């Protein structure tokens, strides 16, 4: 006999199939975007089964469509006087709960599919923080690697010369992401002010504290990820103390995930960059990593020059063959595939916490669940960065400046609350313990209700 509940679930699944298949037909050439949409849409099945009014309001058809996609040419002059041309993007996905908010990525792999996947995820992540911020993302296929400071500045100025038309403290507030750190944010902010003829610190976040940035913003994503995983580990009476941890990447998120994990007593034995990874059985010396990556803008392989116990291996995938209790992928999308996930499981991993956006493929996530590995999904676990960006906006508009400890404490409270909300939503909709479903549902409900309350938007 078919129960009433399975009938409504069937209707919800058919509805989601229709929306997803239509999207697939139109965007078959955008695999990252489809991957992100698929992961979120199907986890919302229990919501649509319980709340058919969302289907009647065509909520999914609306939410998968960005409010605006801006694509522009960025022409700039290199140090040899040659004109270079790159492509810039800003995807303003949803303003249902606040001004658009999301980072800028400068990396040669950037294209519309990647910016859309990141922008779509950002809607739910920003909602989860509990702060009034909508979802957006932007960037360029510009490669900052090997460029001089003067070239980076000219590129940032050219990029902002176009982008400034679409942003503002109450409209759209960009921030950093891969390839966009404090140096780039400074150049972008300077050009915005120059064009506007006004000082508007609330237009961009991730600024240095000396001109309107928030203390603890630099640390926020990495620290926040560890705070989230710390809560999750309590479920199995584990903690970072004494745990062996592998962290991929050696950029902003990785560096501060390593720092917090070490402060909590973990031994972090490996990290990487896009060329390869280092393994230090004695535990990574973070001061050396910071000197190489933050100060010298060098390569992670230089680490072994001063640490004879450590080894360097060319290529990124091998990092997941190192046995660990906790894996924190903090580099980029799809860095853990099914095979890497199986290797992690074979080596006894107990928890995976995503610092990067979408670092696990859908198949890798299936492997975690099939093997009872605790899984902290990106949109919840790495929401600390945008949460502190929103705190930076609050400080800018109040013309106040909080101490490091004040911001860090607020971050800790926010991450704990995100964790609790994910647990609660998962339980309420029949998927107890599944933080992926919990995060998607908790993030979605707030935006969905705001859209319904605001009429046809
Ligand atoms: P950074 O540019 O500071 O660091 C990225 C790190 O990942 C670098 O070590 C880089 O190596 C490595 N990397 C980049 N591409 C690849 C690749 N294809 N394969 C292997 N390694 C790679 O970026 P962030 O730390 O800011 O961002 C990392 C991730 O976290 C991204 O997914 C980003 O979207 C996400 N994120 C960032 C937030 C933030 O506040 N910064 C907030 C929320 C999410 P190399 O030096 O060789 O390029």
């Amino acid at each position: 006999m078919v129960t009433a509940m399975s009938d409504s679930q069937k209707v919800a699944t058919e509805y989601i199939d229709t929306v997803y298949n239509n999207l697939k037909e139109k965007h078959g050439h955008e695999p990252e975007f489809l991957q992100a949409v698929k992961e979120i849409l199907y986890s919302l099945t229990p919501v649509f089964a319980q709340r058919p009014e969302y289907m009647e309001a065509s909520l999914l058809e609306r939410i998968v469509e960005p409010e605006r996609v801006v694509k522009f040419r960025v022409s700039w002059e290199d140090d040899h006087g040659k004109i270079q041309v790159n492509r810039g993007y800003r995807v303003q996905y949803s303003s249902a709960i606040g001004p658009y908010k999301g980072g800028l990525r400068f990396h040669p792999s950037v294209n519309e599919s990647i910016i859309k996947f990141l922008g779509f995820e950002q809607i739910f992540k920003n909602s989860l923080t509990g702060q009034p911020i909508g979802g957006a993302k932007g960037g360029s296929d510009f490669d900052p690697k090997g460029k001089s400071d003067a070239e980076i500045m000219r590129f940032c100025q050219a990029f902002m010369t176009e982008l400034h038309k679409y942003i503002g403290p109450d409209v759209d507030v960009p921030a950093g992401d891969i390839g966009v750190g404090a140096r780039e944010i400074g150049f972008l902010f300077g050009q915005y002010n120059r064009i506007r003829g006004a000082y508007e610190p609330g237009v961009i976040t991730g600024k240095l504290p000396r001109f309107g940035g928030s203390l603890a913003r630099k640390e926020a994503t990495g620290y926040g990820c560890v705070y989230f995983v710390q809560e999750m580990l309590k479920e199995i009476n584990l903690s970072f103390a004494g745990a062996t941890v592998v962290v991929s990447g050696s950029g902003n998120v990785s560096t501060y995930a390593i720092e917090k994990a070490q402060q909590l007593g973990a031994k972090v034995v490996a990290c990487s960059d896009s060329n390869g990874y280092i393994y230090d059985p004695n535990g990574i010396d973070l001061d050396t990593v910071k000197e190489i990556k933050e100060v010298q803008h060098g390569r992670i392989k230089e680490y072994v020059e001063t640490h004879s116990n450590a080894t360097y291996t060319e290529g990124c995938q091998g990092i997941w063959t190192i046995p660990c209790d906790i894996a924190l992928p903090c580099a980029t999308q799809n860095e853990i595939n099914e095979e890497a996930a199986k290797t992690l499981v074979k080596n006894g991993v107990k928890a995976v916490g995503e610092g990067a956006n979408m670092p696990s493929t859908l198949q890798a996530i299936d492997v975690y669940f099939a093997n009872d590995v605790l899984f902290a999904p990106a949109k919840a676990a790495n929401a600390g960065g945008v949460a502190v960006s929103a705190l930076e906006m609050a400080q800018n508009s109040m013309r106040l400046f909080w101490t490091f400890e004040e911001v860090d404490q607020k971050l800790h409270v926010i991450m704990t609350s995100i964790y609790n909300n994910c647990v609660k939503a998962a339980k309420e909709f029949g998927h107890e313990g599944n933080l992926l479903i919990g995060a998607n549902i908790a993030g979605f409900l707030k935006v969905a209700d705001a859209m319904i309350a605001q009429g046809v938007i």
Side-chain angles (χ1 to χ4, degrees):
M1 198 183 89
V2 181
T3 65
M5 188 55 192
S6 53
D7 270 351
S8 58
Q9 262 177 341
K10 199 166 153 245
V11 173
T13 307
E14 278 168 8
Y15 170 61
I16 291 169
D17 280 343
T18 308
V19 174
Y20 180 70
N21 289 333
N22 282 342
L23 210 66
K24 210 166 139 190
E25 212 163 285
K26 277 198 265 180
H27 300 276
H29 56 294
E30 296 181 336
E32 296 87 358
F33 171 57
L34 290 174
Q35 181 183 340
V37 170
K38 189 173 186 185
E39 184 246 280
I40 292 176
L41 255 49
Y42 284 94
S43 68
L44 297 175
T45 312
V47 175
F48 285 91
Q50 276 191 36
R51 304 194 184 167
E53 66 272 21
Y54 287 165
M55 279 185 274
E56 280 148 32
S58 304
L59 266 190
L60 280 192
E61 292 89 327
R62 287 195 267 160
I63 212 164
V64 295
E65 199 65 48
E67 288 177 20
R68 192 169 300 104
V69 177
V70 186
K71 201 155 117 182
F72 49 93
R73 182 179 69 199
V74 188
S75 311
W76 57 282
E77 199 177 326
D78 69 18
D79 285 346
H80 308 289
K82 185 158 174 21
I83 309 291
Q84 301 286 347
V85 181
N86 286 97
R87 200 170 269 181
Y89 301 89
R90 187 70 180 164
V91 175
Q92 297 178 328
Y93 229 110
S94 166
S95 59
I97 61 167
Y100 307 109
K101 178 98 197 81
L104 298 172
R105 175 177 291 192
F106 292 169
H107 193 271
S109 65
V110 163
N111 56 35
E112 202 167 320
S113 169
I114 289 190
I115 298 299
K116 274 167 62 187
F117 114 63
L118 291 163
F120 187 63
E121 291 250 312
Q122 198 80 39
I123 305 172
F124 307 96
K125 179 188 311 195
N126 292 2
S127 164
L128 278 172
T129 67
Q131 285 151 318
I133 39 178
K137 200 79 189 187
S140 172
D141 57 359
F142 171 73
D143 187 359
K145 257 191 229 121
K147 304 289 190 302
S148 69
D149 280 358
E151 287 177 322
I152 302 264
M153 182 186 74
R154 287 195 294 275
F155 174 80
C156 289
Q157 289 177 339
F159 185 84
M160 185 52 86
T161 300
E162 184 61 27
L163 184 71
H164 89 277
K165 299 169 192 165
Y166 311 101
I167 63 174
D170 295 317
V171 180
D172 182 353
V173 183
D177 190 74
I178 291 181
V180 180
R183 173 180 57 171
E184 291 75 18
I185 294 289
F187 294 146
L188 291 162
F189 180 51
Q191 181 72 351
Y192 178 86
N193 288 338
R194 188 156 71 157
I195 293 170
R196 295 279 301 152
Y199 195 81
E200 295 181 0
V203 72
I204 196 161
T205 60
K207 302 178 293 293
L208 287 172
R210 72 187 79 120
F211 54 88
S214 175
L215 290 170
R217 171 61 187 92
K218 185 175 67 169
E219 292 81 359
T221 310
Y223 277 24
C225 178
V226 172
Y227 291 149
F228 188 97
V229 173
Q230 195 183 18
E231 288 306 308
M232 185 174 78
L233 289 173
K234 288 179 187 165
E235 297 290 325
I236 52 168
N237 287 322
L238 258 190
S239 76
F240 276 95
T244 300
V245 180
V246 166
V247 180
S248 62
S250 49
N252 174 258
V253 179
S254 327
T255 301
Y256 294 96
I258 295 173
E259 184 165 282
K260 184 50 73 180
Q262 288 181 339
Q263 283 172 8
L264 295 176
K267 187 170 166 190
V268 182
V269 293
C271 69
S272 59
D273 62 20
S274 56
N275 292 115
Y277 66 93
I278 52 163
Y279 170 60
D280 188 339
N282 296 338
I284 298 284
D285 172 6
L286 190 58
D287 286 341
T288 305
V289 173
K290 282 185 181 177
E291 176 63 26
I292 295 169
K293 301 302 283 190
E294 288 185 349
V295 182
Q296 311 288 345
H297 298 290
R299 309 306 303 156
I300 201 65
K301 67 177 171 200
E302 293 162 32
Y303 182 94
V304 297
E305 290 166 14
T306 50
H307 294 75
S308 53
N309 268 326
T311 52
Y312 171 74
T313 308
E314 209 44 53
C316 301
Q317 273 299 305
I319 194 169
W320 308 118
T321 62
I322 298 171
C324 62
D325 303 306
I326 302 165
L328 302 178
C330 294
T332 194
Q333 64 272 2
N334 292 330
E335 50 174 313
I336 303 187
N337 57 20
E338 184 177 8
E339 194 193 330
K342 283 182 177 163
T343 308
L344 281 166
V345 167
K346 193 173 80 178
N347 289 334
V349 76
K350 308 206 176 44
V352 177
E354 297 188 321
N357 282 312
M358 207 167 77
S360 312
T361 63
L362 295 172
Q363 295 77 9
I365 295 172
D366 288 343
V367 173
Y368 307 148
F369 283 125
N371 291 280
D372 293 327
V373 174
L374 294 180
F375 175 55
K379 71 178 71 58
N382 73 22
V386 76
V388 172
S389 275
L391 298 180
E392 182 174 332
M393 288 162 72
Q395 290 170 82
N396 291 153
S397 62
M398 290 190 291
R399 295 173 198 270
L400 277 177
F401 193 63
W402 293 324
T403 63
F404 186 95
E405 290 69 28
E406 281 175 292
V407 180
D408 188 32
Q409 199 215 351
K410 288 180 202 295
L411 169 67
H412 203 154
V413 170
I414 290 169
M415 295 314 296
T416 307
S417 146
I418 294 175
Y419 175 77
N420 290 333
N421 289 338
C422 294
V423 170
K424 189 166 159 259
K427 191 169 176 191
E428 191 183 331
F429 285 87
H431 290 269
E432 191 165 357
N434 185 325
L435 296 176
L436 177 68
I437 292 184
N440 288 341
I441 292 179
F444 173 76
L445 287 176
K446 188 173 161 195
V447 178
D449 289 337
M451 288 175 76
I452 300 264
Q454 291 172 44
V456 182
I457 60 163

